[in-house]
Amino acid sequence: MNANTSRQNAAAWEEGAQLFDRTTRDLPPGRHQFHKERMMAQIHESRQAEHTATGANGASGANGGQGANGATPAKARRFRLSRPAFALPALAATVAAAVVAVVVTSGGESSPGLATGPALTTTIGVASAEGAPRLLDEIALAAADGKHPVAKPGQFIYIESKTADTFVRTVDDESSLASHALHTRQVWKSPDGVKGWLIDPAVNESPEGETLSLPDEQGNTPRANLNAPSYDYLAKLTTDPDALLAKIYKETKGQGNTPDQQAFATIGDLLGESYPPAELVSALFKAAAKIPGVVVVDDAVDATGRHGVAVARLDETSGQREEWIFDKKTHVYLGERIVQVKGVSGDDDLIKPGTVVFTSAIMKRAIVDGIKQTPSHSG
């Protein structure tokens, strides 16, 4: 596919991106935002690539499809998501396929303004089912005892994290693993979920970031739910572990590779880039203890190199293990990572066991008085 072909599909890009924005609300909060952001970053990159290719050629057919230096432009590839441990809902997957069918890569940066490097790897920690319920009970007790200020109208939930990921990069039909450099991600969300801001160099075109405020481009202001929760929504959820887990299974039915894995992933997202009340955090850990297949990994490392103990679950379909990492002494949540622990065949066979597909570390989680305020600068 050359630059002309992709340019002819510019309208399809826009329409597909809008449809994808609507349909991905069926995904858990961290994942639906992550994949929307990653897709839009790739579309931005492809536009930059076609602009560069056209400028080098003077006209697209000028060198028989080659650039001024004789290099063949990068060919179309199937879009690779950086957190592929679950299946998109059918409609979202169809739209995504339609959009990314015209995406091209230039072999340069795969996200605006963010450096890339070799694949992230780690030593695969030993997992054991023994002790998982006891550890989660201890973590639940620690969460219930922790300080947890209440967010008020007009304030914002601020979450700062360090993240990195590994992905498959294809240039001229040659595929290899690469990673996005460890970088800071900052998110602000109002308690009702209507106003927000994101600063993430893996996503934003500008270092100033971009709005997450609703209504969206289509004028929609969706109601908060488990897959896209606000602080106010989370504050109203049941704190009975059995009832909470039943709700998670019911509302995520049909998502993910298995119901158990999706339930675990949904809880993981709520622990990461959201701010559940203390009573709910405790209930989430107690609910997680009831999911079959949950294990303990004695030594896991977050994105900043902090060692801890992990509560984890293996997705047998993808061969990836999602790990929630906690301080061994205080049981404070440090972050999460997704590690390839089993080899797979097909398109994902480049992702070998020991590859860190995604990693994050929570650095700050606080209540502030305005967008772009940080805890050290808030009133």
Side-chain angles (χ1 to χ4, degrees):
M1 180 180 297
N2 57 31
N4 271 350
T5 305
S6 59
R7 183 173 290 104
Q8 291 165 1
N9 286 277
W13 272 343
E14 298 294 345
E15 181 179 3
Q18 292 173 3
L19 288 170
F20 189 82
D21 180 62
R22 291 196 294 271
T23 56
T24 49
R25 293 196 188 97
D26 290 334
L27 298 175
R31 284 166 171 74
H32 96 262
Q33 185 64 35
F34 180 87
H35 290 291
K36 174 191 172 184
E37 292 165 0
R38 186 67 73 222
M39 185 192 76
M40 296 310 294
Q42 292 288 348
I43 291 175
H44 169 77
E45 174 203 358
S46 69
R47 286 174 171 160
Q48 292 294 104
E50 75 173 52
H51 175 76
T52 301
T54 303
N57 293 343
S60 182
N63 267 329
Q66 294 184 333
N69 60 0
T72 303
K75 297 182 179 179
R77 63 170 172 86
R78 187 169 70 87
F79 181 65
R80 306 295 306 171
L81 295 175
S82 296
R83 297 183 69 183
F86 65 96
L88 290 167
L91 179 57
T94 301
V95 173
V99 175
V100 304
V102 296
V103 174
V104 298
T105 59
S106 64
E109 303 302 312
S110 61
S111 289
L114 186 63
T116 58
L120 305 173
T121 60
T122 189
T123 300
I124 298 174
V126 177
S128 172
E130 185 177 354
R134 178 180 58 80
L135 176 61
L136 279 164
D137 187 57
E138 293 173 355
I139 293 171
L141 288 173
D145 291 339
K147 295 181 179 179
H148 210 88
V150 175
K152 301 175 182 179
Q155 294 184 311
F156 289 84
I157 312 299
Y158 172 74
I159 300 175
E160 179 181 321
S161 60
K162 298 281 189 179
T163 69
D165 62 271
T166 297
F167 59 96
V168 177
R169 179 169 56 188
T170 301
V171 180
D172 293 336
D173 294 331
E174 293 292 330
S175 296
S176 61
L177 286 187
S179 67
H180 289 122
L182 183 68
H183 60 280
T184 298
R185 174 182 171 91
Q186 297 170 285
V187 178
W188 292 260
K189 293 298 291 287
S190 61
D192 60 9
V194 174
K195 295 181 180 180
W197 194 265
L198 169 70
I199 299 178
D200 186 340
V203 178
N204 306 140
E205 295 183 18
S206 166
E208 295 297 316
E210 63 188 66
T211 183
L212 298 178
S213 298
L214 300 172
D216 61 19
E217 295 88 344
Q218 293 79 41
N220 302 316
T221 304
R223 296 179 62 183
N225 55 68
L226 261 183
N227 293 327
S230 64
Y231 173 85
D232 291 346
Y233 171 85
L234 293 174
K236 296 176 182 178
L237 285 181
T238 177
T239 55
D240 176 84
D242 291 307
L244 181 60
L245 187 59
K247 180 179 179 64
I248 291 171
Y249 274 107
K250 180 180 180 180
E251 295 197 11
T252 61
K253 184 178 181 179
Q255 299 176 23
N257 289 329
T258 66
D260 292 334
Q261 188 64 35
Q262 185 59 34
F264 188 82
T266 298
I267 293 174
D269 282 327
L270 295 177
L271 298 175
E273 205 163 89
S274 70
Y275 190 78
E279 297 81 2
L280 181 60
V281 175
S282 181
L284 287 169
F285 290 132
K286 293 178 180 179
K290 301 175 183 292
I291 300 174
V294 175
V295 299
V296 173
V297 180
D298 282 339
D299 187 50
V301 186
D302 74 4
T304 61
R306 297 179 297 192
H307 286 257
V309 60
V311 174
R313 193 179 192 283
L314 174 65
D315 185 335
E316 295 287 351
T317 303
S318 67
Q320 296 173 359
R321 188 169 70 195
E322 180 168 342
E323 302 175 349
W324 310 337
I325 306 169
F326 301 87
D327 183 276
K328 290 184 178 182
K329 293 182 179 180
T330 65
H331 297 317
V332 169
Y333 178 83
L334 300 179
E336 73 159 321
R337 68 177 183 178
I338 296 176
V339 180
Q340 192 77 34
V341 300
K342 292 175 59 179
V344 293
S345 58
D347 293 333
D348 293 325
D349 61 354
L350 280 175
I351 306 177
K352 304 298 183 184
T355 302
V356 178
V357 179
F358 175 81
T359 181
S360 71
I362 298 297
M363 308 309 295
K364 295 179 183 178
R365 198 191 308 254
I367 306 296
V368 296
D369 293 327
I371 282 180
K372 296 188 182 181
Q373 280 190 356
T374 60
S376 59
H377 295 91
S378 58

